[in-house]
Amino acid sequence: MAVRLERRQLPGGLTQATTMQLYNFFRSGTSHRLRIALNLKGLAYEYVAVDLRSEEHLGAAFKALNPQGLVPALADGDRVLTQSPAIIEWLEERYPTPPLLPAGRNERAKIRALAAIVGCDIHPLNNRRVLEYLRRQFDCDTAAWCATWIDAGFATLETLLAADGTRGEFCFGGAPSLADVYLVPQVESARRFEVDLARYPNIVAIDRACNRLDAFRRAAPALQPDAPIP
């Protein structure tokens, strides 16, 4: 696997020896969250588009990279990482500055729980392959399906965020965390499926604060090279 070599100085004195290759799709929520995490860490990566619309992810070439046939995948030299939660945890361990998880054990558990509401309870039900199956087998109104599970998860998130009297402008404190990395792509999806976000003022405020940061803005689906030209 060819990877362009370079050296890049990172915060905390670490050096990135190679430019990683990110295999992803502009509208994929898991790809979106990984782009945010890489940007927050200040890591260079080569954008490699995998077109889900033409089912490129199911072809032999991509499955040789990731046998599961899902995006994203991150190539770092001869190492290929899959599954966005595992990749983000790997990034956190390999490039710990700036951190996406707080120092305290209890606080880390809270942030992981917020992220899991999106990553485990909302996104898997609204994944493209699930929606395709519902459309083909049951002629399902997939927009209503998606909105149902986004609303269920967001109602819980909004309650937890509103109850946290110590929260700053982000999900936790004054800097983005793993929870924000997961939340913002889900808000993007909620808008796509016309979820009424007026019911979730804390979520909307956090999304607005995140998107004032360059790391989040540059990761937006509409700005990716494989996004349709307006």
Side-chain angles (χ1 to χ4, degrees):
M1 184 179 304
V3 180
R4 178 168 55 86
L5 294 177
E6 68 174 27
R7 299 195 73 82
R8 176 185 175 92
Q9 195 65 33
L10 300 172
L14 290 172
T15 300
Q16 182 184 355
T18 64
T19 295
M20 295 178 280
Q21 293 174 312
L22 175 60
Y23 293 80
N24 72 141
F25 180 62
F26 77 100
R27 203 164 53 203
S28 155
T30 50
S31 298
H32 188 179
R33 76 174 67 135
L34 186 50
R35 292 194 299 267
I36 293 170
L38 286 162
N39 291 346
L40 286 171
K41 296 289 187 183
L43 297 170
Y45 60 90
E46 178 187 351
Y47 190 106
V48 183
V50 180
D51 193 346
L52 304 192
R53 295 163 296 190
S54 63
E55 299 195 337
E56 186 178 6
H57 59 299
L58 301 179
F62 184 69
K63 281 202 166 183
L65 187 80
N66 179 7
Q68 196 175 16
L70 297 176
V71 293
L74 186 69
D76 178 43
D78 59 359
R79 178 188 303 107
V80 177
L81 304 166
T82 62
Q83 289 289 342
S84 64
I87 300 171
I88 294 172
E89 290 280 355
W90 179 85
L91 290 172
E92 184 73 355
E93 293 174 8
R94 178 68 185 87
Y95 304 102
T97 305
L100 297 178
L101 289 166
R105 179 174 55 202
N106 293 339
E107 290 76 16
R108 288 197 303 273
K110 179 166 70 173
I111 294 308
R112 285 186 169 116
L114 293 175
I117 291 172
V118 173
C120 300
D121 298 333
I122 302 175
H123 179 268
L125 290 168
N126 294 349
N127 187 276
R128 181 180 181 274
R129 60 180 178 165
V130 172
L131 301 184
E132 287 294 310
Y133 185 84
L134 290 172
R135 276 192 287 263
R136 292 170 181 170
Q137 298 297 319
F138 303 108
D139 195 24
C140 177
D141 180 351
T142 53
W145 169 277
C146 288
T148 295
W149 303 115
I150 293 171
D151 272 322
F154 275 15
T156 301
L157 282 168
E158 183 68 18
T159 299
L160 293 171
L161 293 167
D164 186 354
T166 65
R167 185 177 63 79
E169 61 179 340
F170 301 101
C171 286
F172 179 83
S177 70
L178 183 71
D180 303 281
V181 168
Y182 274 70
L183 178 62
V184 168
Q186 194 60 65
V187 174
E188 171 80 19
S189 178
R191 291 194 173 103
R192 181 181 166 211
F193 290 109
E194 300 182 345
V195 172
D196 180 10
L197 294 175
R199 291 173 289 180
Y200 311 117
N202 286 285
I203 289 174
V204 169
I206 291 167
D207 178 68
R208 186 182 303 117
C210 287
N211 280 297
R212 287 196 289 265
L213 301 179
D214 185 60
F216 284 85
R217 287 197 302 267
R218 287 191 290 114
L223 297 183
Q224 305 316 304
D226 55 332
I229 299 173

